[in-house]
Amino acid sequence: MAILKILTDTNPRLRKISKEVDSVTPKIQTLLNDMVETMRKHQGVGLAAPQVGILKRIVVIETTPDEVHKFINPVIIESAGEQVGDEGCLSVPLKSGIVNRPNYVKVKALNENGEEIIVEGTELFARCVCHELDHLEGILYTDIANKITTYDEDGNEILVEEKK
Ligand code: ZN
């Protein structure tokens, strides 16, 4: 396994639309494992392939420790409710934002063996799925946040931007 380099928000690859995966090859399985390792190394709860420079529809999510989801070609097939809360992104260092998301989502995807799976969840899982799937469309949470706070290296707030 390998730790991959995470692109940050000025990189134009983060703004591209990712392509569907045609077949789940050993190379894709290696990428999934590397993405999980990279996410854990940075203490993230989710990571999308474009964040490591690969424009494929692949995300990994671990909102509950040791319960890793590896989603290939994920699609949200149902969502409900609303939650308003804090969000951050490994590709947008030293910022956090308040983002409205559905409180429940049901996702259809392929797993690492190329089998179709359906997974549902609420709260942080739902937020994370929406955030990671946005990455596949070239959208960052800072595009849709109501309020964005910028911090210095010591964690002190240095700027608060409110959007109307
Ligand atoms: Zn992100």
Side-chain angles (χ1 to χ4, degrees):
M1 294 214 276
I3 304 290
L4 306 170
K5 184 175 155 37
I6 295 181
L7 306 182
T8 52
D9 49 353
T10 52
N11 193 298
R13 285 183 90 74
L14 289 172
R15 295 310 196 167
K16 302 270 206 263
I17 294 176
S18 292
K19 292 204 170 71
E20 288 217 343
V21 174
D22 298 330
S23 67
V24 182
T25 58
K27 209 173 150 186
I28 295 287
Q29 291 167 335
T30 300
L31 172 63
L32 282 163
N33 291 332
D34 289 347
M35 285 173 62
V36 170
E37 200 183 1
T38 304
M39 168 179 70
R40 286 177 169 165
K41 157 105 179 159
H42 293 277
Q43 283 143 28
V45 293
L47 189 68
Q51 291 182 273
V52 293
I54 294 165
L55 298 177
K56 291 186 189 302
R57 302 187 81 84
I58 296 174
V59 308
V60 295
I61 287 173
E62 190 178 34
T63 48
T64 303
D66 297 321
E67 199 180 297
V68 184
H69 299 282
K70 299 170 179 175
F71 292 146
I72 299 165
N73 301 339
V75 180
I76 294 173
I77 54 172
E78 211 180 305
S79 66
E82 198 193 13
Q83 57 174 316
V84 179
D86 240 332
E87 214 161 292
C89 179
L90 296 176
S91 291
V92 188
L94 302 176
K95 284 185 197 284
S96 74
I98 305 290
V99 187
N100 296 28
R101 299 286 192 188
N103 199 46
Y104 163 86
V105 298
K106 186 187 273 187
V107 192
K108 186 173 88 173
L110 298 178
N111 68 12
E112 62 194 317
N113 302 315
E115 299 154 348
E116 191 175 290
I117 50 167
I118 290 179
V119 182
E120 60 181 355
T122 58
E123 301 188 26
L124 183 59
F125 175 82
R127 173 174 296 284
C128 190
V129 165
C130 294
H131 177 115
E132 300 312 329
L133 267 60
D134 276 353
H135 274 299
L136 306 182
E137 306 302 328
I139 298 167
L140 297 177
Y141 83 86
T142 44
D143 301 344
I144 54 172
N146 308 321
K147 179 179 164 185
I148 297 171
T149 306
T150 305
Y151 304 89
D152 67 16
E153 300 281 352
D154 300 317
N156 303 305
E157 288 186 12
I158 50 175
L159 179 68
V160 178
E161 297 161 274
E162 304 245 12
K163 288 193 196 167
K164 288 269 151 51

